[in-house]
């Protein structure tokens, strides 16, 4: 009886020590944060940087930059494509540009995962996340303009952001190729921006301006705010594409920006309330920086 009680005490003590060790490990992990940034010179060329060139703040409080490395892990990219009636004249250029983009991403990193989602009439998954170029090309070739339809871009962004959040991807990007046609999503821009912040994904937006332009409705205004603020706050970029034939070149520039990212690792003190904002500055002369303003969310370890 005594021996059994003694063993029970030993096991209980071991459990306490194990829990303490896990807690210490988690605390150590919590003291590091990571943020992805793109840094170029005035001509768009990648600018080499070191930790000494970077300053990071969270909620206005300075953080110690521990290291800066070229980002090299596999990518997760949701390609959102407008196939509403407004995209009719651009379909061939869209397919050509998307096929080139997919080929370039997978050539750079064969472990990257790409999904194809259209959003004319409703968000539609054409190809789920895969690194199979053949499957992605089949999905792209299924893109046709839907007669009489309008776009549901904001619904598609929310859906893609939720998918990113569930997958816990380290390098997640949402690339939207849309028109200035009618927008039917009922989502307010605040809701979309909140979902983007939760996902941790970087938003990139290409807007084709050669086609029809919708009236200035609430839905269109919400879309404009999301594309403007969403790209800025997540560290991406919004580009206007003046000619449909320029879609492949515009997507190529997005791919280059994604490939040339740095990952900045910084010290993050333990806190009961997680930070909401992050500020990243690069002091190197001539540096142009794309960096998120949403603080990176804590990831499961």
């Amino acid at each position: 009886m005594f021996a059994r009680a003694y063993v029970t005490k030993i096991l209980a003590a071991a459990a306490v020590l194990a829990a303490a060790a896990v807690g210490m490990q988690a605390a150590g992990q919590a003291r590091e944060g990571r943020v992805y940034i793109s840094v170029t010179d005035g001509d768009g060329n990648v600018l080499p940087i070191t930790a000494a060139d970077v300053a990071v703040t969270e909620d206005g409080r300075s953080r110690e930059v521990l290291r800066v490395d070229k980002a090299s892990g596999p990518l997760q990219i949701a390609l959102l494509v407008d196939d509403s009636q407004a995209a009719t004249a651009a379909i061939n250029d869209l397919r050509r540009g998307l096929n080139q983009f997919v080929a370039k991403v997978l050539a750079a990193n064969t472990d990257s995962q790409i999904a194809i989602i259209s959003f004319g009439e409703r968000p539609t998954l054409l190809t789920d996340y895969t690194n199979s170029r053949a499957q992605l090309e089949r999905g792209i070739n299924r893109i046709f303009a839907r007669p009489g339809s309008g776009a549901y871009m904001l619904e598609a962004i929310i859906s893609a952001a939720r998918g990113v959040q569930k997958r816990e991807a380290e390098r997640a990007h949402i690339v939207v190729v849309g028109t200035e046609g009618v927008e039917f999503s009922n989502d307010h821009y605040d809701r979309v921006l909140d979902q983007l912040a939760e996902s941790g994904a970087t938003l990139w937006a290409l807007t084709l301006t050669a086609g029809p332009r919708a009236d200035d409705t609430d839905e269109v205004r919400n879309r404009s705010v999301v594309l403007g603020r969403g790209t800025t706050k997540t560290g991406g970029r919004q580009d206007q594409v003046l000619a449909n034939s320029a879609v492949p070149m515009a997507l190529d520039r997005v791919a280059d920006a994604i490939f040339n990212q740095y990952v900045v690792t910084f010290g993050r003190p333990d806190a009961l309330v997680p930070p909401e904002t992050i500020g990243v500055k690069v002091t190197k002369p001539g540096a142009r920086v794309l960096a998120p303003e949403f603080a990176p969310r804590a990831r499961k370890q």
Side-chain angles (χ1 to χ4, degrees), residues 128-152:
D128 204 350
Y129 284 102
T130 181
N131 63 349
S132 167
R133 183 174 172 181
Q135 291 183 33
L136 290 163
E137 287 179 349
R138 282 197 293 271
I140 292 168
N141 290 333
R142 291 171 56 198
I143 297 173
F144 293 91
R146 300 173 184 266
S149 68
Y152 287 80

Side-chain angles (χ1 to χ4, degrees), residues 29-30 32-34 58 165 168 197-198 268 274-275 295-301:
Q29 292 168 339
E32 280 194 3
R34 290 191 299 275
E58 285 190 304
Q165 190 173 359
E168 286 286 329
E198 287 294 322
R268 171 181 272 179
R297 70 190 189 282
R299 296 183 180 274
K300 295 178 180 178
Q301 301 292 336

Side-chain angles (χ1 to χ4, degrees), residues 56-101:
V56 175
T57 60
E58 285 190 304
D59 290 345
R61 297 179 179 86
S62 181
R63 300 296 189 228
E64 179 187 6
V65 177
L66 303 176
R67 57 189 178 274
V68 174
D69 305 295
K70 283 299 295 291
S72 59
L75 299 159
Q76 177 178 289
I77 301 175
L79 283 174
L80 277 51
V81 188
D82 192 343
D83 61 347
S84 68
Q85 180 171 304
T88 301
I91 292 299
N92 289 335
D93 294 303
L94 286 171
R95 289 179 183 168
R96 185 162 55 93
L98 293 169
N99 276 314
Q100 289 182 16
F101 181 88

Side-chain angles (χ1 to χ4, degrees), residues 1-34:
M1 197 73 177
F2 173 78
R4 183 179 300 174
Y6 181 75
V7 170
T8 301
K9 289 181 179 180
I10 292 295
L11 292 174
V16 170
L17 289 173
V22 170
M24 291 174 65
Q25 182 183 25
Q29 292 168 339
R31 284 195 285 270
E32 280 194 3
R34 290 191 299 275

Side-chain angles (χ1 to χ4, degrees), residues 153-204:
M153 181 190 293
L154 300 189
E155 285 190 16
I157 293 174
I158 287 178
S159 178
R162 286 173 176 166
V164 166
Q165 190 173 359
K166 289 179 181 178
R167 293 170 67 88
E168 286 286 329
E170 177 71 17
R171 295 183 67 195
H173 299 267
I174 298 173
V175 180
V176 182
V177 186
T179 69
E180 295 183 309
V182 177
E183 173 69 33
F184 284 146
S185 299
N186 292 319
D187 301 281
H188 191 268
Y189 63 80
D190 279 335
R191 181 167 179 258
V192 186
L193 295 176
D194 287 345
Q195 191 62 60
L196 279 171
E198 287 294 322
S199 74
T202 303
L203 180 66
W204 307 84

